[in-house]
């Protein structure tokens, strides 16, 4: 993996770097010696080498059992409890994995919204199938997955009976507290633990991400080797040797130069959810106390026909971070056509990946020219090892970025505000206070 940034109009100069160097080294150090804010949520930093190997074997065994007994695997969770595995499954197995991979169960994600339509459609889809469920919630009390799980649990009990349902439900949650833990003990579900010191958006490298990935047939050992490779590489506070350190530096300099929005760019539809995972990671970690880069994403070339105009000529408060996969997992060659009615013979014989690469290069030149700094992350190919390393790369740079910004990258106090109002409106608690605030 290599990372570079265009210097055109970006303000990334040796002087700019020197100015933040000391703070950057301190921010990096806070992650490793656990002296910063939120230091009780740093379990993920050493997790690549310290993870529970027994639990890892259990994940693989349970995944094998699920793969051999179920046609459908439902993953119930929201935010950090589903985005990482969804991102990994799409990126590694492709967009149409459910339809194309006859050896794996179809995997559907629920509990990440409150849409009756979505849930009803899933129930119709799975009606006649053999099902296993992985309900994932660290707190065990999050409304969206809890609501979906109550519906699915009833469906499972009607289909398989109480005991049959229990043997097909797997819970990933806190080791000792929360409603989901209590329910799992009561109903007898097999459980996987989320360490107290690992927050949701940093949990893709635990059972939260690994069980669904293993059920999808992903080699989680290779994924964790990639994570461990990142662990070894990103320990050193060096802009020359540590790409995560470098990325955090670039982002911070760009932010100080009034580039308040970072757009993560992919050229593979299978990477759309990698961007969604990345947005949660950086958005929830940095966006607090009136500070933080707004993380956005576009999917090219599709969005060149919707967002391209703004990026080229709109307000100049954006920079792009492009992920380029150098070698496509598969390829196709554009055939020659004698009549050439579509005028494409000038690229006949070229591969689609080659054309995609030229689109990437042409777009990056144009955007840099239009005043949008461009940070390029190059990856040789998309595989489990490289994805593990990439995800850990983003996690480390996110921790450094948050500390550099002066916020606690491991809490999310702002997420509570909507919940408070929703609970009041649903009659759980606090309705009178809300009435006073809204004056109705
Ligand atoms: O990063 C986080 O902590 C959050 O985004 C959580 O992942 C999300 O809110 C889901 O929480 P839980 O796993 O407790 O249901």
């Amino acid at each position: 993996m290599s990372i570079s940034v265009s210097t055109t109009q970006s303000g990334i100069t040796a002087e700019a770097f020197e100015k933040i160097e000391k703070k950057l080294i301190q921010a990096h150090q806070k992650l490793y010696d656990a002296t910063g804010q939120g230091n009780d949520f740093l379990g993920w930093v050493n997790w690549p080498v310290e993870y529970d190997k027994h639990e890892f074997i259990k994940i693989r065994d349970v995944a094998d059992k699920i793969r051999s007994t179920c046609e459908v695997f439902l993953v119930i969770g929201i935010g950090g409890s589903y985005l990482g595995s969804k991102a990994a499954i799409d990126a590694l197995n492709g967009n149409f994995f459910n339809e194309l991979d006859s050896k794996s169960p179809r995997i559907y994600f629920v509990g990440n919204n409150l849409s009756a339509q979505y849930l009803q459609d899933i129930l119709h889809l799975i009606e006649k199938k053999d099902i296993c469920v992985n309900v994932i919630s660290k707190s065990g009390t999050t409304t969206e997955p809890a609501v979906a799980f109550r519906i699915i649990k009833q469906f499972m009990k009607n289909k398989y009976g109480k005991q049959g349902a229990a043997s097909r439900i797997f819970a990933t949650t806190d080791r000792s507290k929360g409603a989901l833990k209590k329910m799992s003990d009561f109903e007898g579900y097999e459980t996987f633990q989320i360490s107290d010191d690992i927050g949701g958006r940093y949990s893709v490298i635990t059972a939260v991400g690994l069980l669904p990935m293993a059920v999808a047939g992903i080699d989680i050992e290779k994924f964790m080797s990639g994570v461990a490779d990142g662990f070894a590489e990103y320990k050193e506070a060096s802009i020359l040797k540590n790409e995560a350190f470098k990325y955090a530096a670039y982002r911070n300099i760009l932010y100080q130069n009034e580039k308040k929005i970072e757009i993560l760019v992919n050229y593979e539809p299978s990477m759309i959810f990698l961007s969604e995972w990345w947005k949660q990671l950086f958005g929830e970690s940095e966006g607090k106390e009136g500070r933080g880069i707004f993380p956005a994403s576009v999917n090219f070339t599709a969005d060149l026909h919707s967002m391209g105009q703004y990026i080229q000529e709109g307000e100049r408060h954006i920079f792009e971070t492009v992920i380029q996969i150098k070698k496509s997992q598969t390829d196709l060659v554009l055939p020659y056509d004698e009549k050439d009615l579509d005028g494409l013979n000038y690229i006949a014989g070229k591969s689609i990946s080659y054309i995609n690469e030229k689109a990437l290069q042409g777009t990056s030149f144009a955007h840099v020219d239009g005043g949008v700094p461009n940070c390029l992350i190059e990856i040789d190919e998309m595989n489990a090892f490289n994805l593990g390393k990439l995800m850990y790369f983003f996690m480390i740079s996110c921790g450094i970025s948050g500390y550099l910004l002066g916020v606690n990258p491991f809490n999310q106090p702002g997420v509570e505000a909507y919940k408070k109002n929703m609970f009041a409106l649903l009659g759980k608690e606090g309705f009178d206070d809300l009435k006073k605030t809204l004056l109705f």
Side-chain angles (χ1 to χ4, degrees):
M1 195 162 97
S2 85
I3 172 169
S4 60
V5 78
S6 69
T7 42
T8 322
Q9 301 185 44
S10 66
I12 295 175
T13 57
E15 296 74 53
F17 172 68
E18 268 165 32
K19 244 166 117 185
I20 62 161
E21 192 178 10
K22 202 166 151 225
K23 274 174 129 185
L24 193 59
I25 293 171
Q26 282 166 355
H28 180 270
Q29 201 176 345
K30 279 182 187 167
L31 265 191
Y32 288 91
D33 63 14
T35 49
Q37 294 181 74
N39 55 3
D40 45 345
F41 277 96
L42 287 170
W44 60 273
V45 175
N46 293 326
W47 192 253
V49 283
E50 284 178 359
Y51 68 90
D52 181 342
K53 311 292 179 301
H54 292 292
E55 172 123 320
F56 189 81
I57 292 168
K58 188 172 125 188
I59 292 171
R60 278 210 311 227
D61 291 348
V62 168
D64 285 346
K65 188 172 122 196
I66 293 169
R67 283 172 67 78
S68 62
T69 50
C70 299
E71 295 168 281
V72 163
F73 183 57
L74 289 183
V75 180
I76 305 179
I78 195 164
S81 287
Y82 95 102
L83 284 167
S85 62
K86 169 77 177 142
I89 294 169
D90 284 5
L92 296 169
N93 290 359
N95 294 86
F96 306 108
F97 148 84
N98 271 344
E99 289 73 24
L100 290 175
D101 183 355
S102 54
K103 290 199 210 100
S104 302
R106 291 186 174 209
I107 301 183
Y108 299 113
F109 290 84
V110 287
N112 52 56
N113 56 60
L114 286 166
S115 160
Q117 173 82 55
Y118 186 92
L119 203 50
Q120 188 64 268
D121 287 349
I122 292 278
L123 288 171
H124 282 145
L125 265 176
I126 66 174
E127 216 173 0
K128 297 196 173 73
K129 308 276 186 204
D130 260 328
I131 298 144
C132 287
V133 176
N134 183 198
V135 53
I136 310 173
S137 177
K138 183 176 180 195
S139 62
T141 54
T142 308
T143 310
E144 291 88 340
V147 165
F149 185 49
R150 192 179 271 211
I151 304 274
I152 299 293
K153 195 171 71 170
Q154 190 185 46
F155 172 87
M156 295 292 282
K157 277 187 178 166
N158 292 344
K159 193 173 169 96
Y160 298 108
K162 193 173 175 328
Q163 285 213 316
S167 69
R168 288 167 173 270
I169 295 174
F170 304 88
T172 308
T173 190
D174 190 272
R175 79 181 74 226
S176 58
K177 56 183 188 300
L180 183 56
K181 172 65 183 156
K182 219 160 113 191
M183 191 193 301
S184 304
D185 291 346
F186 181 79
E187 302 273 9
Y189 304 150
E190 176 129 32
T191 56
F192 295 89
Q193 293 172 359
I194 310 174
S195 264
D196 284 346
D197 54 1
I198 302 182
R201 57 192 177 275
Y202 295 84
S203 69
V204 61
I205 58 178
T206 72
V208 171
L210 297 179
L211 181 61
M213 279 190 232
V215 172
I218 292 169
D219 187 336
I220 55 171
E221 205 152 353
K222 286 209 176 112
F223 179 85
M224 286 307 283
S225 308
V227 174
D229 200 53
F231 173 78
E233 206 171 298
Y234 307 139
K235 271 192 293 192
E236 202 175 334
S238 155
I239 197 144
L240 296 176
K241 297 190 197 141
N242 181 343
E243 306 280 19
F245 190 82
K246 198 195 242 183
Y247 178 51
Y250 287 163
R251 296 179 80 254
N252 191 270
I253 295 169
L254 290 164
Y255 181 63
Q256 288 182 37
N257 289 345
E258 299 303 315
K259 302 295 180 192
K260 305 283 184 188
I261 298 171
E262 177 177 14
I263 306 177
L264 191 71
V265 182
N266 67 66
Y267 281 78
E268 288 291 339
S270 58
M271 285 165 64
I272 291 174
F273 264 86
L274 187 63
S275 298
E276 295 304 315
W277 171 82
W278 172 90
K279 282 195 279 194
Q280 187 212 359
L281 179 67
F282 280 90
E284 232 170 50
S285 299
E286 286 190 315
K288 45 199 80 155
E289 299 172 35
R291 274 172 267 175
I293 296 173
F294 182 83
S297 65
V298 288
N299 313 303
F300 285 168
T301 59
D303 289 339
L304 284 173
H305 300 263
S306 55
M307 297 303 291
Q309 172 60 38
Y310 188 101
I311 297 173
Q312 190 66 49
E313 295 181 347
E315 193 167 343
R316 304 297 71 187
H317 53 1
I318 52 181
F319 68 99
E320 286 182 320
T321 297
V322 179
I323 306 183
Q324 182 178 19
I325 309 298
K326 298 293 278 182
K327 188 169 161 260
S328 170
Q329 278 158 300
T330 182
D331 218 338
L332 283 171
V333 170
L334 197 72
Y336 178 79
D337 185 302
E338 232 161 64
K339 293 209 170 63
D340 195 26
L341 295 175
D342 51 14
L344 286 180
N345 272 357
Y346 79 103
I347 42 173
K350 303 280 187 230
S351 70
I352 304 290
S353 311
Y354 174 82
I355 301 169
N356 203 18
E357 190 190 336
K358 295 303 144 199
L360 182 152
Q361 290 166 352
T363 305
S364 297
F365 289 146
H367 290 178
V368 169
D369 215 28
V372 180
N374 190 297
C375 176
L376 182 67
I377 298 174
E378 286 179 310
I379 294 158
D380 330 323
E381 63 179 321
M382 181 53 81
N383 56 36
F385 180 93
N386 286 345
L387 182 67
K389 187 166 179 180
L390 179 68
M391 289 179 121
Y392 190 74
F393 158 85
F394 279 133
M395 284 155 61
I396 289 288
S397 24
C398 184
I400 302 173
S401 294
Y403 281 145
L404 205 49
L405 207 61
V407 299
N408 175 355
F410 307 110
N411 65 1
Q412 53 285 327
V415 180
E416 293 312 307
Y418 97 92
K419 290 187 194 168
K420 213 172 127 212
N421 290 347
M422 179 176 78
F423 292 149
L425 291 166
L426 287 169
K428 190 180 178 189
E429 61 206 14
F431 184 65
D432 290 335
D433 292 342
L434 184 68
K435 240 177 20 185
K436 272 184 233 148
T437 321
L438 298 178
L439 298 175
F440 71 84

